[in-house]
Amino acid sequence: MIEFPLSLLTVSILGAVLAGFACSTMGTFVVRLNLASIGYLMSHAAFAGAAFGLMISIDPMIGAVIFSFGTAIILGPLAEKARLQSNVVIGFLFSFMIALAFIFLNYIPGQAASGTALRILWGSIFSVSNNDLLFLLLLSFILIIFIVVFYKELLAVMFNRKLAESSGVNTKLFYFAVLFFTGFAVSLSLQLVGGLLVFALIINPTSTAYQFLYDFKKIVIFSPIIGIVSCLVGFFLSLLTDFPIGASIVVISAAVFVFAIVVSPKRRKGNSKKQKLSIISKI
Amino acid sequence: MIENSNVIELKNIETFYEGEKIPVIHDITFNIKNGEFVSIIGPNGAGKTTLLETINGLLHYTEGKGYVFGMEILKNKTEIRKEIGYVIQNFEIDPLSPFLCKDIVLSGRTGKIGAFKFTSKKDWDKVWYSMGLVGMIDFANRSVGKLSGGEFQKILIARALAQEPKLLLLDEPFSNLDFAARKQIETLLNRIHEKQVITIVMVSHDLSFVPNRCNRVIVLDRGRIIMDGKKQDILKSEMIHKIFNGNGKKK
């Protein structure tokens, strides 16, 4: 195990906890709104944006936020009207974003920056700065306020958008709020978890919570808890084994999810093939 | 609302789906008075759901004028929707759906409670009352994914009733239900109309289930109203049998 100064460890641990909280909290809504494809693309757009930021020598986080927001603004309305096939997103746009990112990485000036470039690719324990921590803390605080104040609206929208709209809820507002907060969560967690893996932190903890719980309120509470625990265990696994931190976090969250599928009470007797298919489609 | 005033007034309404060149419903004109129970029947693809969604402003009409509670629909849709309980066509619910019945019923009051306000005891009282009215109070803490089609339909009706609507719009409330469940829903709708001071508009493709308390039937075919009158007269007419072959499917 590598020895680190306590202050660096504290910042990194806090970063892991807050990234786990923000990503997994947004996962609750992303999974329910069937936005996995667009969210997946947003995370890779954030990766391309971070590379772009490095190329033009600005904070990669700013580039990540701009690119993921751009994706949300362009593709959000298309996905909303079901005019965007998920296989198109994954097959065409995903590879396009990765290609863009690699082109930007190729033009990053200087040797020092190439180290940063690798960090945004697969994440790094050292990459969490005090500024990142502050932004993650602010995002987490805003998310808590957003969920507490608008819980009844979010619940209505998550159950059925058309019914929520018919009751007088502005569903479009909440749809785009989910996309934008997801863009922020992904962009701010990018340097810790890495651009290629950050979206797993959105999907895996929520999918795990879905295996056990029937109450949406409990999913909203337990999904971030699972996300935080996955991040912390992944963090210490990374310290012990010298694995890249992003990969460690994703391996842990994936292992927790597989374990959840095996022991899930929802999958025991009486569950039809249709139910199983619906779980798989949610993953 | 003045007694016997029109709850719904539609004049030459025409509604398109986005990107389509032919309107789904055209030249729709009718009034529905306060307290009426009206069934709009027609074969599949007649434009029944489009008509309901035009009334509550989910779809925008491109021609004509539409008023609900005396307010123009397009200009006041958010206000109007707070007074309209909408029961969507029985959709397939994910068996793992993480929602409790009581929360679904409460969600009907979301617009009425308003933004930046929290749920009060009064809101929960309305939830318990509505669930009691549809006979589903024992299912309050059960997941909606575990309900049968009939039970789920009752929860959707309770959700609409919790809103304390002046107007109830029901989209195919008998679809995907077995005979026993249909009878239960029919009885329930009669009871709601009898107990509550409420206007009910129901669309259906099924001639065999028109609730007793419904005394007016509007027949819709290919987006146009072709008959509008008393239930007994419409159901006995020859024209209705030209449109339907007796089981709700188009000839």
Side-chain angles (χ1 to χ4, degrees):
Chain A
M1 185 173 164
I2 308 158
E3 291 291 329
F4 291 104
L6 191 63
S7 60
L8 180 64
L9 267 184
T10 311
V11 169
S12 300
I13 288 171
L14 275 174
V17 167
L18 293 171
F21 173 82
C23 288
S24 316
T25 299
M26 290 323 297
T28 312
F29 307 112
V30 167
V31 168
R32 190 61 213 164
L33 285 175
N34 283 328
L35 290 174
S37 301
I38 190 168
Y40 185 65
L41 185 65
M42 280 169 71
S43 67
H44 290 92
F47 170 48
F52 182 74
L54 288 173
M55 188 182 79
I56 62 168
S57 302
I58 60 166
D59 188 337
M61 195 181 73
I62 295 171
V65 168
I66 291 170
F67 269 57
S68 65
F69 275 19
T71 308
I73 288 168
I74 295 166
L75 299 182
L78 294 174
E80 189 188 17
K81 291 180 180 170
R83 288 184 186 159
L84 202 67
Q85 301 278 329
S86 56
N87 53 0
V88 173
V89 172
I90 291 166
F92 164 66
L93 292 169
F94 161 69
S95 50
F96 176 66
M97 286 298 172
I98 294 292
L100 271 187
F102 287 156
I103 289 169
F104 296 147
L105 289 177
N106 197 42
Y107 285 98
I108 292 171
Q111 284 297 313
S114 60
T116 318
L118 287 179
R119 286 208 288 272
I120 63 163
L121 198 60
W122 57 63
S124 166
I125 291 173
F126 303 110
S127 63
V128 184
S129 68
N130 285 341
N131 259 355
D132 295 336
L133 205 61
L134 196 68
F135 281 122
L136 271 171
L137 195 65
L138 189 66
L139 175 67
S140 302
F141 182 69
I142 292 171
L143 280 181
I144 291 171
I145 300 287
F146 174 70
I147 292 170
V148 169
V149 172
F150 296 110
Y151 181 74
K152 66 180 191 305
E153 283 86 356
L154 286 166
L155 181 88
V157 174
M158 296 303 137
F159 174 61
N160 186 288
R161 271 192 76 177
K162 191 181 270 189
L163 276 176
E165 186 92 35
S166 73
S167 306
V169 178
N170 185 346
T171 61
K172 199 173 278 248
L173 189 74
F174 290 96
Y175 173 82
F176 281 99
V178 167
L179 279 184
F180 285 122
F181 282 132
T182 304
F184 265 122
V186 162
S187 303
L188 298 182
S189 310
L190 195 73
Q191 299 198 59
L192 182 78
V193 189
L196 294 178
L197 299 172
V198 66
F199 197 64
L201 198 51
I202 287 190
I203 297 295
N204 291 355
T206 298
S207 302
T208 303
Y210 265 84
Q211 302 308 311
F212 299 100
L213 304 166
Y214 285 103
D215 183 350
F216 190 68
K217 193 179 282 175
K218 288 180 183 165
I219 289 186
V220 171
I221 294 168
F222 280 97
S223 178
I225 291 175
I226 296 166
I228 290 169
V229 171
S230 299
C231 277
L232 284 178
V233 176
F235 179 84
F236 286 110
L237 179 71
S238 173
L239 282 184
L240 286 170
T241 59
D242 205 21
F243 289 168
I245 184 167
S248 302
I249 289 172
V250 172
V251 162
I252 293 296
S253 70
V256 171
F257 176 53
V258 170
F259 176 73
I261 285 182
V262 174
V263 300
S264 168
K266 287 188 177 183
R267 289 172 171 270
R268 290 194 193 134
K269 61 177 180 177
N271 284 345
S272 65
K273 192 180 173 186
K274 194 176 83 180
Q275 284 172 300
K276 288 174 183 170
L277 284 173
S278 80
I279 300 170
I280 291 164
S281 71
K282 281 209 174 302
I283 302 164
Chain B
M1 178 72 48
I2 306 158
E3 198 69 19
N4 290 328
S5 64
N6 288 331
V7 170
I8 301 171
E9 288 180 40
L10 301 182
K11 291 172 190 166
N12 309 112
I13 289 291
E14 192 169 278
T15 305
F16 286 81
Y17 277 133
E18 204 178 321
E20 301 271 328
K21 289 180 179 171
I22 302 167
V24 186
I25 52 170
H26 21 196
D27 204 22
I28 300 290
T29 300
F30 63 77
N31 296 337
I32 291 176
K33 288 182 178 168
N34 191 22
E36 272 194 286
F37 189 159
V38 180
S39 280
I40 298 171
I41 57 173
N44 294 329
K48 304 182 296 294
T49 300
T50 306
L51 178 55
L52 277 195
E53 293 188 356
T54 302
I55 291 171
N56 68 8
L58 286 176
L59 291 172
H60 290 189
Y61 51 86
T62 47
E63 289 289 331
K65 289 276 183 190
Y67 299 89
V68 174
F69 313 123
M71 293 183 276
E72 194 173 347
I73 298 168
L74 292 183
K75 290 178 183 167
N76 303 281
K77 56 187 179 189
T78 308
E79 281 309 302
I80 287 169
R81 283 178 196 157
K82 288 177 186 172
E83 305 299 336
I84 300 177
Y86 183 43
V87 178
I88 202 169
Q89 191 166 358
N90 203 341
F91 57 94
E92 200 174 310
I93 186 84
D94 174 9
L96 303 185
S97 197
F99 298 100
L100 302 180
C101 292
K102 63 180 183 185
D103 291 335
I104 297 309
V105 176
L106 179 69
S107 73
R109 291 190 63 80
T110 310
K112 202 131 196 171
I113 296 167
F116 302 102
K117 288 178 187 164
F118 293 102
T119 309
S120 67
K121 186 182 173 295
K122 183 197 160 198
D123 297 312
W124 280 110
D125 286 346
K126 294 292 171 197
V127 169
W128 305 132
Y129 177 78
S130 303
M131 293 190 84
L133 197 66
V134 302
M136 292 293 286
I137 199 97
D138 294 339
F139 290 71
N141 287 308
R142 201 174 285 191
S143 161
V144 283
K146 291 180 176 176
L147 302 182
S148 69
E151 288 163 351
F152 183 48
Q153 190 68 282
K154 287 181 191 172
I155 288 296
L156 291 181
I157 293 172
R159 181 193 180 282
L161 291 175
Q163 200 177 332
E164 298 176 282
K166 292 174 184 165
L167 170 63
L168 192 58
L169 301 179
L170 303 149
D171 192 355
E172 299 277 9
F174 305 118
S175 66
N176 303 323
L177 300 182
D178 60 27
F179 184 81
R182 286 177 175 211
K183 287 302 285 181
Q184 282 182 13
I185 298 294
E186 186 188 4
T187 308
L188 177 62
L189 293 179
N190 284 325
R191 197 196 314 160
I192 290 166
H193 189 246
E194 193 178 359
K195 276 195 164 190
Q196 315 267 315
V197 185
I198 196 168
T199 308
I200 300 179
V201 179
M202 173 190 109
V203 305
S204 174
H205 68 273
D206 194 343
L207 288 174
S208 56
F209 274 90
V210 180
N212 290 339
R213 288 188 65 88
C214 168
N215 46 23
R216 181 180 166 195
V217 170
I218 296 172
V219 183
L220 200 66
D221 190 26
R222 294 175 196 170
R224 290 182 189 277
I225 292 175
I226 54 167
M227 294 174 88
D228 182 352
K230 287 186 176 175
K231 179 173 72 177
Q232 302 88 313
D233 300 338
I234 299 276
L235 295 182
K236 282 178 191 165
S237 71
E238 280 186 21
M239 191 182 279
I240 197 93
H241 296 291
K242 285 182 185 171
I243 299 168
F244 289 88
N245 62 6
N247 62 6
K249 287 178 185 162
K250 206 173 176 182
K251 265 186 176 174

